[in-house]
Amino acid sequence: MDVNLPKVEYDLQAHSELRFEVEVNEPIQLELLEGTAEIYGSELVKGCVYKFYRGRKVAVFTAKETPMVLYVNVHAGLEQMRDQAAEQKSRGPRIMLAGPTDVGKSTICKMLVSWAARLKRTPILVDLDVGQPDLSIPGTIGASVIETPVDIEEGYNLSGPLIFHFGHITPQNNIDLYKVLISRLAEAVSMRAQNIEQTNYSGVVINTCGWVRDGGYRSIVHAAGAFEVDVVVVLDQERLYSELLRDMPEFVKVIMLQKSGGVVERTRTVRETTRDKKIYEYFYGTREQALYPHTFEVQWSSVKFFKIGGPDLPESMLPVGITLADNKTKVVSVTPSRNLMYHVCSVSTANTEKEIIQSNAAGFVVITQIDINKESVTLLSPSPGPLPFPYLLVMEDVKYNDELRSAIYKK
């Protein structure tokens, strides 16, 4: 239902950027009156009224601000590389965005793939940010071919994204598994690109997490090698730029760009709320496009619960021939108990236990009830039962209490 909201005119051409977050129940309406402007690379239509509901963060840009000009120049350089790839029947450019948290990496990725899609390109977007992912729920990494610009109101229009289970909201909790999954995803992305000529020419845009020190830095270097990147863009950190300039091969171009002046630092509470909202929308959709999940009971005998990664042990206590890395990437059986309440689980497409790490997720469920006497669990699922696969991978750091949070987002 439309509501009559007070009108506020904002001279975007003078300020170059407008950012806002919807914190009220009523939608915020946005209309471009004069000039030109974009949201994440998608151009606003003059006179069209856009609505943004609670929880949405929006950034409206013109191309007059200096960082925006630099971002457009990066896009122009990628386009030249794509044209060259098409002429030579070779692989298109692969660019990776790196930098600490809250410098605008995800925003620039959206811009780059949207600008490419507006020119009929079909790049692959790779998201390695397990804490604040755009392609799936927290605790995962993934990739998707982007065929259309990011929708101004809805965000990415994804078709068959490839998602892998990690199970934590920071790579620090299992850096060995994180690097294994990066390599597996890189292999899958290369295979998909090779099978689609236009996508191969269009290249890959990679978003990374905000952990850039110690193991986080090593994971960035690992990702650059696994995806065989051509360009690394560092946002707003001289030290990271110097380190990557030192450690990247000579054929990899490392450039540094300043972050947009409108980027703001998110609090821990905001990050937690964003993660909860991402899970809620996976099951229930948005105000504009509602979804209706299902709840059903599953006997323990028909499913198997696992987690990836053994307990933290000193190397001297590990079995002979087992390294610390092996221990953190092994598949561990989980006995059903009340401790699993509210944990999010990935439904693995693996056919055997040995294939679990190498297999992608078919979808996600939440354990909402556990009946010890009946030896059953009740699952919240986006589709009706039975489960298409029997292996459920427990996310150790990702929980969702549907009763509490659905009441918040339905307001």
Side-chain angles (χ1 to χ4, degrees):
M1 181 177 66
D2 292 339
V3 293
N4 294 321
L5 300 177
K7 278 192 174 182
V8 177
E9 292 196 9
Y10 185 90
D11 188 353
L12 187 60
Q13 299 299 324
H15 295 83
S16 299
E17 180 177 342
L18 167 65
R19 285 178 179 264
F20 61 87
E21 179 179 0
V22 185
E23 297 180 342
V24 296
N25 293 333
E26 294 81 10
I28 285 181
Q29 298 183 135
L30 177 69
E31 179 182 357
L32 179 66
L33 301 178
E34 296 291 341
T36 59
E38 295 181 349
I39 293 181
Y40 302 136
S42 297
E43 190 171 359
L44 274 70
V45 177
K46 185 177 177 180
C48 180
V49 177
Y50 301 94
K51 295 180 182 180
F52 302 95
Y53 292 88
R54 182 175 181 171
R56 280 296 306 275
K57 292 178 180 290
V58 181
V60 188
F61 298 96
T62 70
K64 290 188 175 182
E65 190 182 11
T66 301
M68 283 298 298
V69 174
L70 296 176
Y71 305 158
V72 171
N73 287 342
V74 170
H75 163 68
L78 294 175
E79 276 301 302
Q80 292 179 357
M81 297 172 73
R82 288 168 181 139
D83 288 337
Q84 185 177 22
E87 292 176 3
Q88 299 177 354
K89 306 295 183 183
S90 60
R91 194 198 71 186
R94 297 189 173 190
I95 181 172
M96 184 172 74
L97 280 292
T101 57
D102 298 326
V103 293
K105 298 187 297 294
S106 297
T107 297
I108 296 176
C109 286
K110 288 179 181 178
M111 292 177 180
L112 292 177
V113 296
S114 285
W115 288 331
R118 284 165 61 176
L119 297 177
K120 307 303 180 184
R121 308 289 193 183
T122 56
I124 295 177
L125 174 65
V126 172
D127 196 345
L128 304 180
D129 187 350
V130 295
Q132 302 289 324
D134 278 331
L135 298 182
S136 186
I137 68 170
T140 64
I141 65 173
S144 181
V145 176
I146 304 300
E147 299 177 335
T148 59
V150 176
D151 185 89
I152 290 176
E153 295 178 323
E154 288 289 316
Y156 286 112
N157 180 20
L158 302 178
S159 177
L162 184 65
I163 307 298
F164 286 91
H165 169 98
F166 178 61
H168 306 275
I169 58 174
T170 171
Q172 289 176 278
N173 288 354
N174 196 336
I175 190 65
D176 294 305
L177 174 61
Y178 185 62
K179 291 165 69 174
V180 167
L181 293 177
I182 287 175
S183 297
R184 176 67 185 96
L185 183 59
E187 294 173 2
V189 165
S190 293
M191 290 179 61
R192 181 166 294 191
Q194 291 171 5
N195 292 331
I196 308 174
E197 187 176 64
Q198 177 63 23
T199 296
N200 195 34
Y201 300 156
S202 299
V204 180
V205 178
I206 306 166
N207 184 31
T208 59
C209 70
W211 182 31
V212 297
R213 301 289 298 275
D214 304 321
Y217 175 75
R218 291 190 291 274
S219 71
I220 291 172
V221 173
H222 177 79
F227 284 95
E228 300 179 328
V229 301
D230 307 295
V231 182
V232 178
V233 173
V234 179
L235 289 172
D236 204 49
Q237 191 173 92
E238 286 279 358
R239 176 175 176 171
L240 179 61
Y241 169 72
S242 299
E243 290 174 337
L244 288 172
L245 201 61
R246 176 197 67 202
D247 295 336
M248 287 292 100
E250 292 185 1
F251 61 83
V252 177
K253 185 175 182 61
V254 182
I255 60 178
M256 181 171 176
L257 298 179
Q258 68 185 93
K259 69 177 181 181
S260 169
V263 174
V264 295
E265 186 174 346
R266 292 169 291 182
T267 65
R268 180 178 180 179
T269 300
V270 169
R271 290 177 175 277
E272 290 175 350
T273 300
T274 302
R275 284 193 287 269
D276 288 342
K277 186 172 185 292
K278 195 75 176 179
I279 299 172
Y280 173 84
E281 290 184 349
Y282 174 79
F283 292 101
Y284 291 97
T286 62
R287 289 284 295 271
E288 300 92 334
Q289 186 176 2
L291 300 176
Y292 302 93
H294 302 262
T295 301
F296 55 88
E297 192 175 50
V298 175
Q299 296 299 126
W300 296 354
S301 58
S302 64
V303 295
K304 291 185 178 180
F305 293 93
F306 297 96
K307 68 175 184 176
I308 303 178
D312 293 322
L313 297 172
E315 196 165 8
S316 60
M317 294 183 63
L318 294 175
V320 177
I322 300 297
T323 65
L324 290 174
D326 293 334
N327 184 54
K328 298 303 291 184
T329 57
K330 72 176 182 179
V331 177
V332 180
S333 179
V334 176
T335 301
S337 70
R338 297 192 188 279
N339 293 332
L340 295 183
M341 278 289 290
Y342 304 125
H343 278 270
V344 179
C345 298
S346 302
V347 182
S348 175
T349 59
N351 292 314
T352 66
E353 294 181 24
K354 293 182 179 180
E355 298 175 355
I356 283 178
I357 290 184
Q358 299 296 319
S359 300
N360 61 292
F364 307 95
V365 295
V366 177
I367 300 173
T368 58
Q369 291 183 24
I370 297 177
D371 192 320
I372 302 296
N373 294 326
K374 293 173 60 178
E375 295 191 342
S376 68
V377 296
T378 301
L379 302 177
L380 177 70
S381 170
S383 58
L387 292 171
F389 301 94
Y391 298 143
L392 296 182
L393 308 184
V394 179
M395 291 197 176
E396 297 185 68
D397 296 349
V398 185
K399 294 183 178 181
Y400 179 75
N401 188 333
D402 185 68
E403 295 178 358
L404 293 178
R405 279 130 188 183
S406 63
I408 295 175
Y409 295 114
K410 286 180 180 177
K411 289 182 178 179

